[in-house]
Amino acid sequence: MINQKMTELGKVRSVIREIFEYGNKRRSEIGAENVLDFSLGNPSIPAPEKVSEIMARLIKDTDPVKLHGYTSAQGDPTVRKAISDSITDRFGASSSPDLIYMTCGAAASLTITLNALVNTGDEVIALAPFFPEYRVFAEKAGANFKVVKCRESDFQIDFAALEAAINKNTKAIIVNSPNNPTGVVLSEETVIKLSELLNKKQAEFGTSIYIICDEPYRELAYGVDVPYIPNFYDNTIVCYSFSKSLSLPGERIGYIFVSPKTDIAADIYAAVCGAGRALGYVCAPSLLQYTVKECIGLTGDVEAYKKNRDALYNALVEYGYECAKPDGAFYLFMKSPESDAAAFCERAKKYELLLVPSDSFGYEGYVRISYCVSYSQIEKSLPAFKALMEEYK
Ligand code: PLP
């Protein structure tokens, strides 16, 4: 018998993929321009021109044997140095190339980190709503996955609930800010409180509790500061990706940064290298490593997402929807006017609006709207959202 858990995982399509496939069907039936698809988190703005220029130059000027050859398992040393320097320059955090591990995006960063930290039976906490793959990654690493819901009023952390959930088996808590699916950025006040709580709990249980900081949306913030968690809490490991900041999700490039302030940084980094090896995630794509080395900190046109956010959020609130105001990422979390969000999404299909019900994010009664779409799609969708709300009045 083959692995049943993996067979099930492979057979069941995620809700988001289901909706996207439905969208493909509708696109072929009525034309792509008539389908108001808000299901996928695929960046809608192109990668900055500089990215193609760097790639073209690298291909033209670099010895192909080097350019396309294996790098060190943990990534090219000059690339890791550039990333480490940029962490220190941009965030004032101490860093070292020997604590950077290059990966194939945030998904790989997360699975490697979870496998590096978790022993079977440890608990990993996710703050709901959360990126659904966290459960898959954590459980595969042998963790018991525990969900703590954020406050509904502003989607910041519910500290009473979090404190109640932490125990001597808690190994890590995954934090994602700006957040998918809410777009909410954790405030500095929240991050300080989180740090205080975790320090208190570490002392109480005599254990180490790590923050796994999932940051693919760090640069996609609209005029608000996104606190850099290693500056607030010592036991932090950052899982970064260039998928969203540089609009390169198909190229699969990111990194792990083990903060030197973690209690056993060298051992954690060794475990990261070990997990990368055990999972077959050595030597991230070399052309992409050399490319990001030259454009760390660069972003696409974030203003385009902000323009979409403003138009959509203002209109939805005017029509009577309740929404969490997103300060970043390119998602909007909207309360379903009926308690069954899946039923609401079905009804939305009448208007060719494709929305994702929130249940798979661990938080019922909402929908996620991915507004990484063209501005004309936003404009076109507004009458549809309005008419949809009229049905509930
Ligand atoms: N974490 C979050 C919160 C995400 O939204 C995503 C992708 O949408 C990922 C991780 C995975 O990112 P990557 O494509 O870099 O693997």
Coordinates of all heavy atoms in Angstrom, one line a residue, residues 41 104-108 110 131 134 176 180 214 216-217 241-244 249 252-253 331 368, ligand 1:
G41 N -3.7 34.3 -5.8 CA -2.8 35.3 -5.3 C -1.6 35.4 -6.3 O -0.4 35.4 -5.8
C104 N 13.5 27.5 -2.6 CA 12.6 27.7 -3.7 C 11.3 28.4 -3.2 O 10.2 27.7 -3.2 CB 12.2 26.4 -4.4 SG 13.6 25.5 -5.0
G105 N 11.4 29.6 -2.7 CA 10.2 30.3 -2.3 C 9.8 30.1 -0.9 O 10.4 29.3 -0.1
A106 N 8.7 30.8 -0.4 CA 8.3 30.7 1.0 C 7.8 29.3 1.3 O 8.0 28.9 2.5 CB 7.2 31.7 1.2
A107 N 7.2 28.6 0.4 CA 6.7 27.3 0.7 C 7.8 26.4 1.2 O 7.8 25.7 2.2 CB 6.0 26.7 -0.5
A108 N 8.9 26.4 0.4 CA 10.1 25.6 0.8 C 10.7 26.1 2.1 O 11.1 25.3 2.9 CB 11.1 25.6 -0.4
L110 N 9.2 27.5 4.5 CA 8.4 27.0 5.7 C 8.6 25.5 5.9 O 8.7 25.1 7.1 CB 6.9 27.3 5.4 CG 6.5 28.8 5.4 CD1 5.2 29.0 4.7 CD2 6.4 29.3 6.9
F131 N -2.7 31.0 5.9 CA -2.5 30.4 4.6 C -2.7 28.9 4.8 O -2.0 28.3 5.6 CB -1.0 30.7 4.2 CG -0.5 30.2 2.9 CD1 -1.2 30.4 1.7 CD2 0.7 29.4 2.9 CE1 -0.7 29.9 0.5 CE2 1.2 28.9 1.7 CZ 0.5 29.2 0.5
Y134 N -0.1 25.9 5.6 CA 0.6 25.8 6.9 C 0.2 24.4 7.6 O 1.1 23.8 8.1 CB 0.2 26.9 7.9 CG 0.6 28.3 7.6 CD1 0.1 29.4 8.3 CD2 1.6 28.5 6.7 CE1 0.5 30.7 8.0 CE2 2.1 29.8 6.4 CZ 1.5 30.9 7.1 OH 1.9 32.2 6.8
N176 N 2.4 35.8 10.1 CA 2.4 36.2 8.6 C 1.8 37.6 8.5 O 0.6 37.9 8.7 CB 1.5 35.2 7.8 CG 1.3 35.7 6.4 OD1 0.2 35.6 5.9 ND2 2.3 36.2 5.7
N180 N -1.9 37.1 4.5 CA -2.8 36.4 3.6 C -3.8 35.5 4.5 O -3.2 34.7 5.2 CB -2.0 35.5 2.6 CG -2.9 34.7 1.7 OD1 -4.1 34.9 1.7 ND2 -2.3 33.7 1.0
D214 N 6.7 34.3 8.4 CA 6.4 34.1 7.0 C 6.2 35.4 6.3 O 5.2 36.1 6.5 CB 5.2 33.2 6.8 CG 4.9 32.8 5.4 OD1 5.8 32.9 4.6 OD2 3.7 32.5 5.1
P216 N 6.3 36.7 2.7 CA 6.4 37.0 1.3 C 5.8 38.4 0.9 O 6.1 38.8 -0.2 CB 5.6 35.9 0.7 CG 4.8 35.3 1.8 CD 5.4 35.6 3.0
Y217 N 5.0 39.0 1.8 CA 4.4 40.2 1.5 C 5.0 41.4 2.1 O 4.5 42.5 2.1 CB 2.9 40.2 1.8 CG 2.2 39.0 1.1 CD1 1.9 37.9 1.8 CD2 1.8 39.1 -0.2 CE1 1.3 36.8 1.2 CE2 1.2 38.1 -0.8 CZ 0.9 36.9 -0.1 OH 0.3 35.8 -0.8
S241 N 10.3 35.2 0.7 CA 10.2 34.8 -0.7 C 10.2 36.1 -1.6 O 9.7 37.1 -1.2 CB 8.9 34.1 -0.9 OG 8.5 34.0 -2.2
F242 N 10.7 35.9 -2.8 CA 10.7 37.0 -3.8 C 9.5 36.9 -4.7 O 9.3 37.7 -5.6 CB 12.0 37.0 -4.6 CG 13.2 37.4 -3.8 CD1 14.0 36.3 -3.3 CD2 13.6 38.7 -3.6 CE1 15.1 36.6 -2.5 CE2 14.7 39.0 -2.9 CZ 15.5 38.0 -2.3
S243 N 8.6 35.9 -4.4 CA 7.5 35.6 -5.3 C 6.6 36.8 -5.5 O 6.1 37.1 -6.6 CB 6.6 34.5 -4.7 OG 7.3 33.3 -4.7
K244 N 6.3 37.5 -4.4 CA 5.3 38.6 -4.5 C 6.0 40.0 -4.7 O 5.5 40.8 -5.5 CB 4.4 38.6 -3.3 CG 4.0 37.2 -2.8 CD 2.9 36.6 -3.7 CE 2.6 35.2 -3.2 NZ 1.4 34.6 -3.8
P249 N 6.5 34.5 -8.9 CA 6.1 33.3 -8.2 C 6.5 32.0 -8.9 O 6.7 31.0 -8.2 CB 4.6 33.5 -8.1 CG 4.2 34.4 -9.2 CD 5.4 35.3 -9.4
R252 N 10.4 30.5 -8.3 CA 10.7 29.8 -7.1 C 12.0 30.2 -6.4 O 13.0 29.5 -6.6 CB 10.7 28.3 -7.3 CG 9.6 27.7 -8.1 CD 8.2 28.1 -7.6 NE 7.9 27.7 -6.3 CZ 7.3 28.4 -5.4 NH1 6.9 29.7 -5.7 NH2 7.1 28.0 -4.2
I253 N 12.0 31.4 -5.8 CA 13.2 31.8 -5.1 C 12.9 32.6 -3.8 O 12.0 33.4 -3.8 CB 14.1 32.6 -6.1 CG1 15.5 32.9 -5.4 CG2 13.5 33.9 -6.5 CD1 16.4 31.7 -5.4
Y331 N -4.8 41.3 -0.6 CA -6.0 40.5 -0.3 C -7.0 41.4 0.6 O -6.5 42.2 1.4 CB -5.7 39.3 0.5 CG -4.7 38.4 -0.1 CD1 -3.4 38.3 0.3 CD2 -5.1 37.6 -1.2 CE1 -2.5 37.4 -0.3 CE2 -4.2 36.8 -1.9 CZ -2.9 36.7 -1.4 OH -2.0 35.9 -2.0
R368 N -12.3 35.7 0.9 CA -11.1 36.4 0.5 C -11.2 36.9 -0.9 O -11.6 36.1 -1.8 CB -9.9 35.4 0.6 CG -8.6 36.2 0.3 CD -7.4 35.3 0.2 NE -7.3 34.6 -1.1 CZ -6.3 33.9 -1.5 NH1 -5.2 33.8 -0.7 NH2 -6.3 33.3 -2.7
Ligands
PLP1 N1 3.0 32.1 2.6 C1 1.9 32.8 2.3 C2 1.2 33.6 3.3 C3 1.5 32.9 1.0 O1 0.4 33.6 0.7 C4 2.2 32.1 0.0 C5 1.8 32.1 -1.4 O2 0.7 32.6 -1.8 C6 3.3 31.4 0.4 C7 3.7 31.4 1.7 C8 4.1 30.6 -0.6 O3 4.9 31.4 -1.3 P1 5.9 31.0 -2.5 O4 5.2 31.1 -3.8 O5 7.0 31.9 -2.4 O6 6.3 29.6 -2.1

